[in-house]
Amino acid sequence: MKTRKAILVVGLLAFIIGDAAAQYYGPPGPPPGPAPMRRQRQQEPKDDEQSKPTGYFEISFGLSEPIGAFGATTGTTYGGYALPGSAFNLSLGIPVNHTNLGVALMYGDYNNLFDINSFAYTQQLADQSKAYAPILQDSYNESFILAGLFWTWPVHRLSFDARLMGGIAICHLPEVTWGAQGAYDPTISTYDTYQWDTYPSSSVGFAYDIGADIRYKLRRTSIMLGIDYTGANPNVNTTQQYTDPYGNMYYSRISGGVPMSLICVNLGLAYEIR
């Protein structure tokens, strides 16, 4: 056993000495000069390079604020009553021939709850003979696929961008369900109850976006703060089910436009495109 260990130790020492000898090429050379520092200075972007127009690929998150009829809390018909919600964007700005003008592309996904409490309260104001209450909380979901024009103005590490786009909106329209309690009904030995259920649906319509942002360049990445005004007017085509106190169900069609307007504020990270 000791002989085997000795053979292994000798073999290992021989391998180490041989490897060291193979890597030895003569006396050590002079210490490295300042070339790496010069190379580092050459790699650092100059002010004129930072002021050249650049594009970006951005991922951002933010808030979507309904405005106009989309966020209105008046009226007893389908539509409106959207609450502030979330926003997610993938956007791309590509300058043409290193100019200040280019092509803009964007995918945006926004989610806004339907304010069923305010909707039931509005129904209550319109009909004091019953006690109205919400039953189901659902939400609007809007997906925008847009393309258009991109403009950028660089100032050292900052870039000011603007875009004007059009495209399509793929919208999930919420289910709206509410009920009411009426007077005591001796024929059924309880209070009259009523229920309305507007079914959810999906719709596609024309969409547009007007946006602007500020980019602060780090290296090839940037921090971006942006704001967008986005709108669409998809058509709703769905069914409303009404249930009377005796369990009878009646169906009616609901159709028409559902205006959607949003102000979105986003914060994200972008990768520079030169």
Side-chain angles (χ1 to χ4, degrees):
M1 182 67 68
K2 292 182 179 180
T3 304
R4 291 180 181 177
K5 288 183 178 180
I7 293 173
L8 290 174
V9 169
V10 170
L12 181 61
L13 289 174
F15 175 79
I16 294 173
I17 295 171
D19 184 66
Q23 296 183 15
Y24 180 75
Y25 299 102
M37 292 298 296
R38 292 197 300 270
R39 191 179 305 115
Q40 181 178 359
R41 294 194 197 101
Q42 292 173 358
Q43 292 175 352
E44 292 179 355
K46 299 179 181 179
D47 288 343
D48 57 345
E49 293 178 352
Q50 293 174 357
S51 297
K52 291 181 179 179
T54 59
Y56 61 85
F57 172 72
E58 178 203 21
I59 299 176
S60 66
F61 297 88
L63 301 175
S64 60
E65 177 71 28
I67 60 174
F70 192 37
T73 56
T74 58
T76 58
T77 58
Y78 189 81
Y81 290 92
L83 292 170
S86 61
F88 168 74
N89 285 331
L90 291 174
S91 58
L92 183 67
I94 308 173
V96 176
N97 294 329
H98 304 287
T99 64
N100 297 87
L101 297 176
V103 177
L105 301 171
M106 188 178 83
Y107 168 78
D109 187 80
Y110 313 121
N111 189 274
N112 300 90
L113 287 173
F114 184 91
D115 189 356
I116 187 63
N117 294 307
S118 295
F119 184 80
Y121 178 72
T122 303
Q123 299 288 343
Q124 179 71 68
L125 294 178
D127 182 10
Q128 297 292 328
S129 65
K130 303 179 184 68
Y132 286 82
I135 294 179
L136 177 68
Q137 176 94 69
D138 200 0
S139 63
Y140 293 96
N141 182 262
E142 313 93 43
S143 296
F144 293 86
I145 302 173
L146 304 162
L149 299 176
F150 163 70
W151 174 87
T152 183
W153 186 261
V155 181
H156 299 295
R157 288 189 176 272
L158 290 176
S159 289
F160 300 90
D161 307 321
R163 53 192 171 271
L164 176 64
M165 297 178 289
I168 62 172
I170 304 171
C171 303
H172 166 82
L173 304 176
E175 183 175 4
V176 181
T177 307
W178 73 101
Q181 186 179 76
Y184 183 81
D185 189 344
T187 61
I188 55 176
S189 301
T190 187
Y191 290 93
D192 290 334
T193 58
Y194 309 82
Q195 182 173 311
W196 294 263
D197 184 2
T198 304
Y199 298 162
S201 62
S202 297
S203 181
V204 177
F206 174 76
Y208 59 89
D209 178 273
I210 302 171
D213 58 61
I214 299 175
R215 285 183 282 153
Y216 180 76
K217 186 185 300 183
L218 301 175
R219 285 186 179 273
R220 289 299 297 270
T221 59
S222 300
I223 299 174
M224 291 186 66
L225 176 64
I227 183 169
D228 287 86
Y229 172 73
T230 306
N233 190 19
N235 289 319
V236 58
N237 187 12
T238 187
T239 300
Q240 184 180 87
Q241 173 187 302
Y242 164 65
T243 306
D244 70 11
Y246 306 102
N248 300 312
M249 297 180 183
Y250 305 90
Y251 299 89
S252 59
R253 299 297 300 173
I254 295 179
S255 59
V258 180
M260 295 181 172
S261 299
L262 294 163
I263 293 289
C264 301
V265 179
N266 303 287
L267 181 63
L269 290 176
Y271 183 79
E272 181 183 278
I273 298 176
R274 295 175 182 174

